[in-house]
Amino acid sequence: DLHPRVRRQRQMCIRDSVRTAYETDSVNELNTQFCIIFFLLLNIFLGIIGTFWFRTQHRRAEIALRMALGSTRWGICGRLMGEGVLLLLISAIPALVVAWNLGYAELVEVTRMPFTAGRFAITVLGTFILIAGMIVIGIGYPARRAMSIEPAEALHEE
């Protein structure tokens, strides 16, 4: 038999090692989740920017024609940005319906954080802002480059 003090110290040592292992596992799990989130966001970012960049580059003749007919550079840029955000709004509606149904039916993990309307709204708003920013970047730079050339030159290339 061990002395009660030694037994208590061993139990505390075991508790500390279990606590440390638990904390380390949860930290590792959290780091893994952050890496996965970063990877997915990077891929989504590159995909959205590439899509809108490609779309804007192929509309150079239209941009040049609008400039030749008297549209301002800011007006053209605003129109292109508006079209991109409108596409986002149109595609967001069915995505919201699907996401709400997945959360409401608890087909996603809700053990750590319950599915609530407030949490859903904050997530939707954050996602919308992130994707809108990606669209603005994907349209803004190539649109500015397309507007910097002379309209006659762009129309001649076509």
Side-chain angles (χ1 to χ4, degrees), residues 2-128:
L2 294 173
H3 191 272
R5 181 179 290 158
V6 173
R7 189 178 315 137
R8 202 172 318 123
Q9 286 177 346
R10 276 193 181 167
Q11 288 173 348
M12 289 178 67
C13 183
I14 291 171
R15 280 188 212 140
D16 288 342
S17 65
V18 169
R19 181 179 297 137
T20 304
Y22 176 75
E23 289 171 355
T24 305
D25 285 346
S26 61
V27 167
N28 287 339
E29 183 180 340
L30 199 60
N31 286 339
T32 302
Q33 288 176 354
F34 279 133
C35 288
I36 291 170
I37 289 170
F38 176 74
F39 177 75
L40 290 174
L41 278 177
L42 180 67
N43 283 313
I44 292 167
F45 178 72
L46 292 174
I48 289 175
I49 285 181
T51 300
F52 282 95
W53 192 302
F54 182 76
R55 183 177 166 268
T56 305
Q57 281 293 100
H58 281 282
R59 296 178 69 183
R60 282 178 27 154
E62 177 189 340
I63 293 170
L65 183 61
R66 288 185 183 279
M67 287 175 58
L69 293 175
S71 290
T72 64
R73 295 181 192 276
W74 286 107
I76 294 170
C77 192
R79 181 182 183 94
L80 292 172
M81 300 281 183
E83 288 176 4
V85 173
L86 183 65
L87 284 171
L88 173 62
L89 281 172
I90 291 170
S91 64
I93 293 169
L96 287 175
V97 171
V98 170
W100 175 262
N101 285 324
L102 286 174
Y104 187 73
E106 294 183 356
L107 295 175
V108 293
E109 183 180 344
V110 293
T111 55
R112 293 183 185 175
M113 295 179 74
F115 181 78
T116 61
R119 181 173 161 227
F120 182 76
I122 290 170
T123 305
V124 165
L125 183 64
T127 304
F128 187 84

